[in-house]
Amino acid sequence: MAPLKFAVLAGDYIGPEVMAEALRVLEHAASQEGLTLEHTAADVGGAGIDKHGKALPDATVALCERSDAILFGSVGGPKWEKLPPKDQPERAALLPLRKHFTLFANIRPGLLYRELADASPIKSDRIPDGIDIVCIRELTGGLYFGKPKETTTLPDGDIQAVDTMVYRKSEIERITATAIAAARSRRRKLCSVDKANVLETSVLWRKTVIDYVARHAPELELTHMYVDNAAMQLVRNPNQFDVFVTENMFGDILSDEMAVICGSLGMLSSASLGAGKNSRGLPFGLYEPAGGTAPDIAGKGLANPCAQVLSSALMLRYSFGLEKTAARIEAAVKRAVTGGVRTADIAFGGKSVGTKAMADAIIAQLG
Ligand code: NAD
């Protein structure tokens, strides 16, 4: 098999710390299976600003264009907080990357192992088997991108701001296709979340999802839920969901709620898949932990590398078609953590290890 070619954008604060360990795990898993990695690092976020005057340097974009996937760390932190909002690392690096590569599908597993149930704010008797759900969020449409988007002063002197929620049928169909693929690989249950009792876009959303699933995946159990109810159901009984799919802003909010009920941000991975295909004919994607740069623990060797490791497993699955290797890495993380090797964020005051030792334990579990 040709080398696995991906760009490594580690970013700031804990970004490079957890990235180094994820690469070590990947190298180990790859060498066991005779796979070769060809990864190239580039600056992004605050590191891009400091070295190149730009959160997303041109050379970084060029590297990503030559790659089959992007393994991303996280960007931003107190050092750059005084910059104008439009130049802040997250806004000036991540959003343009999403736009440039039309990363329209955000896949976020909401995973909490049974052994870590105490990390969730939900009472553990409500989640005796932990949590295992997936959120699919549309990422390039809806209220965040619709035009007009402006603030104007009205003739009477009052000030008015407008955001516009827009969706095309084709945009809804392609995110539904991603959701179908995810549901097929799991328990075959798909819940579409909208606000079809109030919003025109949601009426189109629901009709399109119904038609598309009927044509392409009639075997799935398809349900619909209003977003306000979904927010409530997620904390009441998260495992009633298998895969849920929703538009951009609803997904932004629900995926954060899901992250909280799953305990530590240090365990949660994500994939953002593009409309385009990579050189292997598979989706180009950006893979990153759900958390940020954790400046409070950066430089101390304390960060949990699991989210970054699990993000790299998603990269193998979606952008390289290596399901078996991805599943092996996921199983190794699970065995290491449930076997008792834990960083401080998931140790509940018990014995904890540092970033490197956590990765060592995952590598040991890979055999
Ligand atoms: P954060 O996710 O960085 O941290 C929140 C809490 O979670 C902290 O207590 C942190 O220590 C903990 N945490 C996060 N990841 C962890 C890990 N891997 N291991 C152990 N603990 C972990 O959120 P924040 O403090 O609000 O943001 C810090 C910076 O990160 C900000 O500049 C923000 O803009 C940026 N940020 C970037 C991204 C991204 O790059 N995608 C996402 C979110 C936040």
Side-chain angles (χ1 to χ4, degrees):
M1 191 178 194
L4 313 184
K5 203 169 159 184
F6 58 95
V8 174
L9 312 188
D12 310 314
Y13 291 95
I14 67 161
E17 298 174 34
V18 290
M19 184 65 83
E21 300 311 321
L23 289 177
R24 229 158 44 83
V25 173
L26 265 184
E27 292 281 6
H28 186 82
S31 72
Q32 289 177 314
E33 298 182 23
L35 301 165
T36 315
L37 305 185
E38 190 183 313
H39 53 86
T40 311
D43 296 315
V44 73
I49 294 171
D50 289 353
K51 291 193 204 156
H52 313 270
K54 234 169 139 178
L56 187 59
D58 297 344
T60 302
V61 178
L63 169 71
C64 296
E65 281 171 348
R66 295 193 303 273
S67 306
D68 283 335
I70 305 170
L71 190 57
F72 195 91
S74 43
V75 294
K79 191 172 174 203
W80 305 280
E81 259 166 21
K82 293 215 167 67
L83 291 173
K86 69 172 182 29
D87 298 328
Q88 296 268 333
E90 250 188 291
R91 185 153 158 199
L94 256 181
L95 295 191
L97 264 180
R98 281 181 191 157
K99 198 165 177 195
H100 187 81
F101 291 102
T102 321
L103 301 173
F104 71 95
N106 184 235
I107 303 176
R108 272 223 219 173
L111 187 63
L112 174 71
Y113 306 139
R114 179 165 47 88
E115 292 79 355
L116 296 184
D118 283 346
S120 175
I122 297 180
K123 289 193 186 105
S124 36
D125 60 346
R126 294 204 165 200
I127 43 170
D129 296 319
I131 298 172
D132 183 5
I133 59 180
V134 174
C135 169
I136 311 263
R137 165 188 170 195
E138 202 290 327
L139 208 55
T140 50
L143 203 57
Y144 295 175
F145 292 95
K147 298 274 171 54
K149 189 177 197 60
E150 61 192 14
T151 304
T152 47
T153 303
L154 300 172
D156 66 0
D158 206 352
I159 298 173
Q160 174 175 281
V162 179
D163 292 292
T164 307
M165 195 172 209
V166 190
Y167 267 108
R168 288 174 177 227
K169 184 176 166 196
S170 54
E171 290 174 308
I172 303 168
E173 286 185 337
R174 70 181 178 185
I175 192 74
T176 306
T178 305
I180 286 173
R184 276 189 174 140
S185 70
R186 294 171 47 90
R187 288 184 279 133
R188 298 180 171 257
K189 282 173 62 179
L190 177 61
C191 178
S192 171
V193 175
D194 62 37
K195 190 73 183 166
N197 50 346
V198 179
L199 298 174
E200 281 297 310
T201 42
S202 281
V203 172
L204 179 65
W205 180 279
R206 188 174 286 211
K207 182 177 179 330
T208 305
V209 172
I210 290 172
D211 291 350
Y212 196 88
V213 171
R215 269 185 290 130
H216 297 276
E219 79 281 11
L220 294 187
E221 180 190 325
L222 175 67
T223 54
H224 304 271
M225 200 179 276
Y226 295 138
V227 62
D228 40 348
N229 187 24
M232 192 170 67
Q233 297 300 333
L234 260 181
V235 282
R236 213 180 61 81
N237 176 16
N239 288 316
Q240 71 184 281
F241 298 100
D242 178 19
V243 175
F244 67 93
V245 59
T246 191
E247 68 88 39
N248 201 347
M249 183 180 63
F250 298 162
D252 191 3
I253 298 166
L254 292 181
S255 61
D256 269 20
E257 183 184 347
M258 188 179 77
V260 169
I261 61 171
C262 286
S264 174
L265 282 171
M267 295 300 297
L268 296 176
S269 56
S270 83
S272 299
L273 303 188
K277 299 274 186 256
N278 62 22
S279 73
R280 292 167 185 259
L282 292 166
F284 180 88
L286 181 148
Y287 302 86
E288 59 173 333
T293 57
D296 52 336
I297 55 166
K300 299 177 182 161
L302 296 175
N304 186 346
C306 290
Q308 190 76 62
V309 171
L310 293 170
S311 300
S312 69
L314 293 180
M315 176 178 78
L316 297 184
R317 171 171 295 127
Y318 292 113
S319 287
F320 293 103
L322 294 167
E323 172 59 38
K324 198 183 98 205
T325 324
R328 235 163 46 77
I329 292 175
E330 287 165 350
V333 172
K334 183 172 183 179
R335 280 198 301 273
V337 170
T338 58
V341 184
R342 296 180 190 173
T343 43
D345 56 311
I346 49 173
F348 317 122
K351 190 168 166 288
S352 63
V353 301
T355 311
K356 189 171 175 310
M358 187 71 241
D360 285 340
I362 297 167
I363 289 170
Q365 289 297 338
L366 279 167

